[in-house]
Amino acid sequence: MTISDKTDLFGLFAYEIAELITPFGLKPYRGKQIAEWLYKHNVHQFDAMTNLSKEQRSRLAENFAITEVTLKAKQHSADGQTSKFLLAFSDDMAVETVLMRHSYGNSVCVSTQVGCAMGCAFCASTLTGLVRNLTGGEILAQVLYITELLKLQDQKVDSIVIMGSGEPLANYDNVLRFIRLVHEAYSLNLGYRNITLSTSGLVMAMDKLAAEGLPITLSISLHAPNNVLRSRLMPVNNRYPLEQVLAAGNRYAEATGRRITYEYTLIAGVNDQPVHAKELAAILKGRLANVNLIPINPVPERGLLRPELSEINRFEQILKKEHINVTVRREMGADIAAACGQLRHKVCQSDG
Ligand code: SAH
């Protein structure tokens, strides 16, 4: 990406930076030093890169740029555990990034696209369609923004969930660049096992991801135990029906040894009845799988409501009785519109 005529270094690997700077008289090892300034120290001015000579710094500034994100809006949940940030990039496009403070560490939920093309019936991210893909650097910038905030409290980002706005596997190359960049020693050095990617079930890309050999956790958004209901909630099911998605989940689990998480958003009167729980248990039986039940964050535009607590518990108990590993997502940030795309939708609605 370029800003005016300058090449942006943010989002590049150290070896790529090295290739770009050597024609300007800098040694290749400087690539890693610059990457450390960008990704470890969050420095966005060449002038502050003090292990380079003044002359080198000004030559870099003449020829290269470093993009930054700017904060457009933020919300904190009443319990202080969840904070949501609307972050804007150089073209003023904005996405949501969420910080969740769990007892086991700090988790960041990143967005991978501005808007989304998948058209799921219950999701606010897709209300105005896909605007554009984010670059690897733009996804990483969200994590680094939160890292800087946490540094002030002597804390760090412990895990990343790729579960914000967008379908990550529809932006495959940029998302993979992000995953590899955040793992680099000159960046956050985050273990692949601390990264979870959530997909609506793009089967071909799931197989491609399994072949990368990265031990990241795969979450699959199921939301229905049969094709009729799933197609109603998730149009992608017409392209990749349930049985193909489950088969790809099995292949991913076999290839990586990692248990799949199946996400199931509970919607009152739609997919939360005992018959659905039994059907779900039947299709998941014998698979290396966890089920994560997510009581829906109501999207008023769609008229979809959250089940009563007793219905949620009943659904959970049926799965347990059938020996399915199940957890109910702890209420986090429902009071701050933490569901995908809800803050952006609210803030950006007036922009059209
Ligand atoms: N596109 C990817 C990742 C982004 S959505 C995917 O579909 O998995 C992350 C998760 O939030 C998905 O399981 C999605 O179905 C769920 N989700 C979206 N809107 C929601 C809402 N209003 N309430 C609860 N969960 C929601």
Side-chain angles (χ1 to χ4, degrees):
M1 197 184 15
T2 56
I3 299 174
S4 62
D5 54 345
K6 295 180 185 176
T7 303
D8 188 5
L9 295 185
F10 196 90
L12 300 185
F13 290 100
Y15 79 89
E16 293 173 320
I17 297 174
E19 281 169 13
L20 285 170
I21 60 173
T22 42
F24 295 91
L26 281 88
K27 292 257 162 21
Y29 75 91
R30 299 288 188 188
K32 190 166 155 238
Q33 289 182 334
I34 295 170
E36 281 175 348
W37 284 115
L38 298 180
Y39 310 132
K40 228 189 228 320
H41 308 300
N42 217 34
V43 160
H44 288 89
Q45 307 299 329
F46 289 108
D47 209 34
M49 300 181 178
T50 47
N51 52 3
L52 303 175
S53 71
K54 280 228 147 77
E55 212 269 315
Q56 288 172 326
R57 286 183 240 168
S58 61
R59 221 176 310 151
L60 288 171
E62 277 162 30
N63 294 285
F64 299 101
I66 302 168
T67 53
E68 274 189 88
V69 292
T70 49
L71 180 67
K72 272 200 139 181
K74 65 179 166 192
Q75 291 180 322
H76 301 288
S77 64
D79 62 10
Q81 287 189 316
T82 307
S83 303
K84 187 166 200 172
F85 304 87
L86 189 66
L87 300 176
F89 303 106
S90 45
D91 61 356
D92 210 35
M93 287 293 164
V95 298
E96 299 174 359
T97 307
V98 183
L99 164 62
M100 293 162 286
R101 297 168 191 268
H102 301 285
S103 51
Y104 52 84
N106 296 310
S107 179
V108 178
C109 175
V110 294
S111 292
T112 55
Q113 297 180 314
V114 183
C116 184
M118 303 314 290
C120 297
F122 45 82
C123 183
S125 297
T126 201
L127 286 172
T128 46
L130 174 66
V131 182
R132 72 167 174 87
N133 282 332
L134 296 188
T135 64
E138 287 171 331
I139 306 170
L140 181 64
Q142 298 170 56
V143 179
L144 295 187
Y145 182 89
I146 304 292
T147 302
E148 281 306 292
L149 286 183
L150 290 172
K151 264 187 202 166
L152 301 173
Q153 299 158 1
D154 268 334
Q155 291 184 41
K156 61 180 176 55
V157 170
D158 300 296
S159 61
I160 293 174
V161 292
I162 307 175
M163 276 193 196
S165 290
E167 169 48 54
L169 295 186
N171 183 16
Y172 191 91
D173 291 345
N174 289 326
V175 168
L176 263 283
R177 169 178 286 270
F178 158 68
I179 290 170
R180 293 204 157 98
L181 258 181
V182 83
H183 175 77
E184 288 287 351
Y186 54 73
S187 177
L188 292 191
N189 202 11
L190 199 87
Y192 289 126
R193 282 167 201 281
N194 301 325
I195 300 176
T196 299
L197 182 148
S198 177
T199 181
S200 58
L202 299 184
V203 167
M204 273 163 54
M206 286 160 69
D207 284 334
K208 195 171 166 194
L209 186 67
E212 303 278 354
L214 305 173
I216 63 173
T217 303
L218 187 65
S219 259
I220 300 176
S221 295
L222 216 53
H223 306 322
N226 60 62
N227 280 316
V228 174
L229 188 52
R230 193 163 189 268
S231 291
R232 257 180 62 205
L233 295 173
M234 305 177 71
V236 66
N237 194 66
N238 293 310
R239 186 152 43 119
Y240 296 116
L242 197 56
E243 49 283 0
Q244 286 187 27
V245 173
L246 292 173
N250 273 7
R251 290 195 293 274
Y252 189 90
E254 271 162 34
T256 61
R258 312 278 298 158
R259 191 175 276 270
I260 302 286
T261 299
Y262 287 100
E263 294 161 273
Y264 194 101
T265 294
L266 287 166
I267 310 168
V270 174
N271 64 358
D272 65 337
Q273 296 304 299
V275 58
H276 300 123
K278 286 181 191 141
E279 207 177 349
L280 183 63
I283 62 170
L284 292 183
K285 211 153 213 158
R287 296 177 195 269
L288 195 58
N290 291 320
V291 173
N292 194 0
L293 298 175
I294 314 166
I296 188 172
N297 277 316
V299 181
E301 294 87 345
R302 300 274 161 118
L304 299 171
L305 302 174
R306 178 177 293 205
E308 300 290 332
L309 194 57
S310 58
E311 311 260 317
I312 297 170
N313 291 340
R314 185 175 62 179
F315 200 97
E316 183 190 11
Q317 287 315 317
I318 293 172
L319 291 180
K320 280 199 167 142
K321 230 178 97 193
E322 299 292 332
H323 307 290
I324 304 287
N325 284 308
V326 55
T327 50
V328 181
R329 185 174 293 183
R330 212 152 56 83
E331 283 288 346
M332 284 204 96
D335 58 328
I336 58 162
C340 303
Q342 290 183 342
L343 176 61
R344 171 171 171 265
H345 191 61
K346 217 163 83 185
V347 174
C348 301
Q349 233 166 3
S350 50
D351 305 353

